[in-house]
Every structure is written in C-alpha cells, then in structure tokens.
Amino acid sequence: MSKPFAPRRSVEQVEEGTELAPKFDERGLIPVVTTDFETGELLMHGYMNAEALERTIETGEAHYFSRSRKALWHKGATSGFVQKVRELLVDDDQDCIWLRVDVAGGASCHVGYRSCFYRRVPLGGAEAPAELEFTDTEKVFDPTDVYGDAPNPTKL
Amino acid sequence: MSKPFAPRRSVEQVEEGTELAPKFDERGLIPVVTTDFETGELLMHGYMNAEALERTIETGEAHYFSRSRKALWHKGATSGFVQKVRELLVDDDQDCIWLRVDVAGGASCHVGYRSCFYRRVPLGGAEAPAELEFTDTEKVFDPTDVYGDAPNPTKL
C-alpha cells in the first residue's frame, strides 16, 4: 500500500481539507482515543506511530505503538480482545485520532476492567491527596489467566 | 490548597489504589480526553500540567495547558465556551485524564465545530492519501467573530 498520508502544507488544508495529513510528535507518535461504538464509553488512550495508523486503516483492526515494549501492537493479539474499528476520525489540526470500536470479549484494560477508566477524582479539592472512588469494581477477566507472567506495562 | 497528588510508589498503588498519583511526562504534561457528558461525543484532546489539573479539581471547570501559548488555559476564557466538569476520571496507570463535561454554548473546537472530530478516515486504504469525509458541516460559531485576529493555534 502506498502511504495514505499527505504532507502538511497549510493550516487551511489541515483544518478544512479532505487530505489525511496527520502530525506525529517528536517521538513519531500520535495520541489515540478509543471509545466503545455502542455506549460511547472511553475504553483507553494510546499512541500510534505511522505504521500502526496505516495498519489500522488497512485492516480495520486497532493497532497501536507500545511505548513500554517499543513495538507495533496489534491490540488483542495476546488477550484475544481485538478492537474492530467502526469509525476512525481525526481532529481539527490532525494531531489526534479517535477510534470508535467494538471489542471482542468486552475488555480493553490490562488490569482486567472493561475500561481503563474505573476511578473518579472527587472535585472541590478538600483532600490532599485526592481519594479516588471506584466506578467499576467488577473485573471482566483475571489478568494472570490472560497474560500469564508477561511484564506489567505500567511504569512508575 | 495543598497538592492533591501522591507520590508514585508501586504498580499496585497506582493501578488498584485510591490515591491520585498522576504521571506527568518529560514535558510535565498529562493527556486529557474530553467528552460531552450527555451524548458521550469526543469533544477534544488536550494536555494539562500539574497546575491545570489542580485548578480543574479545585474549580470544577476545565483548565488545560496550551502548548502553543505555553500557558495555563482556562477553557472558555476567550470564547465563553466554559466546560463544566461533571466527572473527572483517571486511567489504570494514571497517565491520562478523562473529563466528562457540559459545554456552555455547545462548542469546543476553535475551527467553529461542536467537536474537534468532524472528519472520518475511510477504512480499507485504497486511496493514497486517504480522503477524509466530513461528519459535521455546520459550524456552531464563526471563529473570526469569537477570536478576532488572535493567532491560530494549529501548527504545521
């Protein structure tokens, strides 16, 4: 496949035009917001490099760039929780991608929850540090069953 | 207000605990996904520094860090389109924030659309470059009326 990306020539072309001209940052990455097509729930936030974006467009399955493994990451290749892309959108200045997906198996979070966003920060700021409230307490799967002893991607 | 953030001590604390211990990247920023509380629509993707996150928690109104202006950015201060935070969530490894907001005036995009994500990338990859399809063609406001001749934040 030839490259699906146009060069970025002007603000008008990028904001108002019909050419896909994504901006990758100094690391070669573009942030990706992934929501559930049916419910609108935010499932995860990740990154793509140019190859991951090309593969996603080509195959209709979400590919990311894993910053912890420094490698192309076909989401679900290990866990089986493949994300089928129903809609792929780009923002005004084309430095962010929005994937609206269906998830096989219904989970997107390596900790075992349906969504990576299972804790709420109370507003008002009375406490220090803020005490998080769980919005979901039921894991969809047990990470040790799915990932075995693969290293946890979370970095401190 | 004292700092609402805890130090990051362990993967378990960060992923399964109740302390807010956000990870700011090497630029001091954390990505933020902002969706419409009622419709679930993705409105924008931005960044916060520690001060912006503190102010957002404290005031319940979305504050970001503007990378183009290199300054704290109270969303809506110029346009009037303030974002009232209904829910603020953090992800598993606490390196991303999700804001669920109500938007005064109904617009979040400096180009004039309701959402920054008004163009779809067709899947399959037959064309090069991919030709974007507009999902929204009606601007909510005229940017020149709202911003006058302030510089456009889009960078090539």
Side-chain angles (χ1 to χ4, degrees), chain A residues 15 18 87 120 124 132 154, chain B residues 15 18 57 87 120 132 154:
Chain A
E15 291 187 346
T18 60
E87 194 169 46
R120 178 193 295 128
L132 304 175
T154 292
Chain B
E15 289 186 346
T18 60
I57 292 171
E87 194 169 45
R120 177 194 295 129
L132 303 175
T154 292

Side-chain angles (χ1 to χ4, degrees), chain B residues 6-24:
Chain B
R8 294 167 66 89
R9 291 185 301 268
S10 71
V11 169
E12 197 189 345
Q13 170 225 10
V14 166
E15 289 186 346
E16 308 272 8
T18 60
E19 288 180 329
L20 178 59
K23 181 169 191 163
F24 297 94

Side-chain angles (χ1 to χ4, degrees), chain A residues 4 8 14-18 23 45 57 87-88 92 110 116 118-121 124 132 139 154-155, chain B residues 8 14-18 23 45 57 87-88 92 110 116 118-121 124 130 132 139 154-156:
Chain A
R8 294 167 67 89
V14 166
E15 291 187 346
E16 308 272 8
T18 60
K23 180 168 190 162
H45 176 278
I57 292 171
E87 194 169 46
L88 193 164
D92 43 21
H110 77 277
C116 296
Y118 48 83
R119 287 171 300 180
R120 178 193 295 128
V121 181
L132 304 175
K139 294 194 181 185
T154 292
K155 304 286 175 224
Chain B
R8 294 167 66 89
V14 166
E15 289 186 346
E16 308 272 8
T18 60
K23 181 169 191 163
H45 177 279
I57 292 171
E87 194 169 45
L88 192 163
D92 43 19
H110 77 277
C116 295
Y118 47 83
R119 288 171 299 180
R120 177 194 295 129
V121 181
L132 303 175
K139 294 194 180 185
T154 292
K155 304 285 175 221
L156 292 182

